[in-house]
Amino acid sequence: MTTAVLFLTFLVLLLMNVPIAITLGLASLAALLAENIDPIIVPMNVYAATSKFVLLAIPFFILGGNVMEKVGISGKLIVLAEKFVGHMKGGMAIVCVLVATFFAAISGSGPATVAALGMIIIPAMVKTGYSKDFSSALMASSGAIGVIIPPSITFVVYGSIAGVSIGTLFIGGIIPGILMALGLVTVALLAGRKLDIVTMPKSSWKERMVAFKDAIWGLMMPVIILGGIYGGIFTPTEAAAVSAVYGLFVGLFIYKSINLKDLYKLLVDSTAQTSVVMLITATASLFAWVITVSGIGEAISSMFINVTGGNVIIFFIIVNIILLIAGAFLDSTSALFIFTPLFLPVAIALGVNLVHLGVVMIVNLAIGLITPPVGVNLYVACGIGDINLHKISVAVVPLVVTALLVLLLVTYVPGVSMFLTGFMG
């Protein structure tokens, strides 16, 4: 009865296009009432889910990313990349992926990366000879690297649910993020071979050094964050706070592009973005709790163990299929809260490393950002590139295929995500 009420309410509200946070909350409440559980448990559960110390990293990373976007670091990174690879055929496509990867390490968010860079990069790619459809699709796909490359807000969420070291998760995402970037660059260069691509004049080393000097403050942010974490200087949560303070220092005293009025707006915008994430966290955790206490989670986990027969390969096939489908409809935070508690006991029973599982899940959900009908990055790129969803959905197909190949490599070659973690103390 509880299972039927929970999932039926969830599906009906989802089909009615009710916001996902409200959908999860109402479905959970309906299931609690059907089970005759006192609704007083709702505020208690919500408080427990959102009062975790590790989740403080989310607002700080969001603020740090917003500050660096405000000071114009995205433009400085684009200029830097142009100076080094702009003269190559397909150079602007390489710039798109390179800058998205660097900016991802600052913002930690896929949609934020697309929004910050797309206004400049999409028109620049079109000007060099790429179609508007492909340019927008490449920008959306490059932005998806934002949830894989550290520091990633999505890894913070997974780590808080699974009880896994966020620092280890961050380092586990480095190689998969780089592989994703290389795959997208390869597709873009192959696509550009049949086009009359305009190249930029080759820059001198003096010009490159000037661009590097101008962008160095932005490039230093991920170095400080990750270096501090892996050097044992501070925790990921403290690193997030440091990133926010560093961003404010750069904006106020180095570039001097932020005043008190800008600071107020940055704080308001960051609070609003954090509120969205935390509301989803609250209702998704309640949904996951209902699944657990009603016995649904245990039944599903037992079914997984029986179906897999102790075979890790089959387990990951199921994980990938479920998350690729879920990622096309759910945001990353909701998907993690719903499916992590289901996969975790099975993974532990099969001896799967939880860092490896986390990286596999995050790569799946990154692909979800560029798959319709609810690929958030696609919608952001559509708005910037002024094209419809159908056109970008067609153009993104070869990029999605490339991302799927990277997913297979990450899934079945654990060393891809685990290799660098071996160097941590």
Side-chain angles (χ1 to χ4, degrees), residues 96-383:
C96 175
V97 179
L98 276 179
V99 177
T101 304
F102 274 115
F103 195 80
I106 296 173
S107 71
S109 167
T113 300
V114 178
L117 305 177
M119 293 292 290
I120 303 173
I121 291 181
I122 292 176
M125 284 188 64
V126 172
K127 188 176 180 180
T128 61
Y130 283 100
S131 71
K132 187 184 291 187
D133 300 352
F134 182 81
S135 301
S136 301
L138 183 64
M139 186 70 257
S141 303
S142 301
I145 299 172
V147 301
I148 304 173
I149 210 82
S152 164
I153 294 172
T154 315
F155 275 132
V156 173
V157 174
Y158 172 82
S160 72
I161 300 169
V164 179
S165 165
I166 293 172
T168 307
L169 288 168
F170 279 174
I171 204 167
I174 294 176
I175 294 179
I178 292 173
L179 288 177
M180 187 76 79
L182 291 174
L184 296 181
V185 166
T186 302
V187 173
L189 292 180
L190 290 175
R193 289 176 61 185
K194 299 179 181 179
L195 302 174
D196 185 18
I197 300 296
V198 178
T199 59
M200 300 174 63
K202 188 172 183 178
S203 301
S204 66
W205 277 102
K206 182 179 179 180
E207 291 173 319
R208 292 173 178 175
M209 289 302 102
V210 170
F212 178 77
K213 183 180 178 181
D214 200 30
I216 186 65
W217 292 101
L219 294 174
M220 284 302 294
M221 180 180 268
V223 173
I224 292 172
I225 294 171
L226 300 178
I229 293 173
Y230 304 136
I233 301 173
F234 35 68
T235 67
T237 304
E238 292 166 344
V242 169
S243 76
V245 173
Y246 175 81
L248 290 172
F249 173 79
V250 171
L252 289 168
F253 302 107
I254 304 299
Y255 293 132
K256 298 179 180 179
S257 55
I258 296 178
N259 54 40
L260 291 179
K261 185 178 179 181
D262 294 327
L263 182 58
Y264 173 77
K265 189 175 186 305
L266 282 168
L267 291 171
V268 170
D269 290 345
S270 299
T271 301
Q273 293 170 31
T274 301
S275 299
V276 172
V277 176
M278 296 310 292
L279 178 59
I280 294 172
T281 297
T283 55
S285 65
L286 180 62
F287 189 91
W289 182 83
V290 172
I291 288 177
T292 301
V293 298
S294 63
I296 299 171
E298 186 178 348
I300 293 175
S301 297
S302 298
M303 182 191 70
F304 276 151
I305 293 174
N306 291 332
V307 170
T308 60
N311 191 310
V312 174
I313 293 176
I314 296 175
F315 167 69
F316 273 120
I317 290 175
I318 295 173
V319 168
N320 286 338
I321 291 174
I322 290 175
L323 290 180
L324 287 172
I325 295 172
F329 295 94
L330 299 173
D331 65 277
S332 300
T333 302
S334 301
L336 286 172
F337 269 100
I338 293 170
F339 294 106
T340 303
L342 300 180
F343 296 151
L344 218 57
V346 185
I348 293 171
L350 297 177
V352 174
N353 186 287
L354 297 187
V355 172
H356 179 215
L357 174 65
V359 174
V360 170
M361 292 183 70
I362 270 60
V363 173
N364 269 287
L365 296 174
I367 296 173
L369 292 172
I370 55 172
T371 51
V374 194
V376 181
N377 282 19
L378 292 184
Y379 284 101
V380 176
C382 280

Side-chain angles (χ1 to χ4, degrees), residues 38-51 285-286 289:
D38 192 341
I40 192 64
I41 196 68
V42 174
M44 295 169 59
N45 186 280
V46 166
Y47 175 77
T50 56
S51 61
S285 65
L286 180 62
W289 182 83

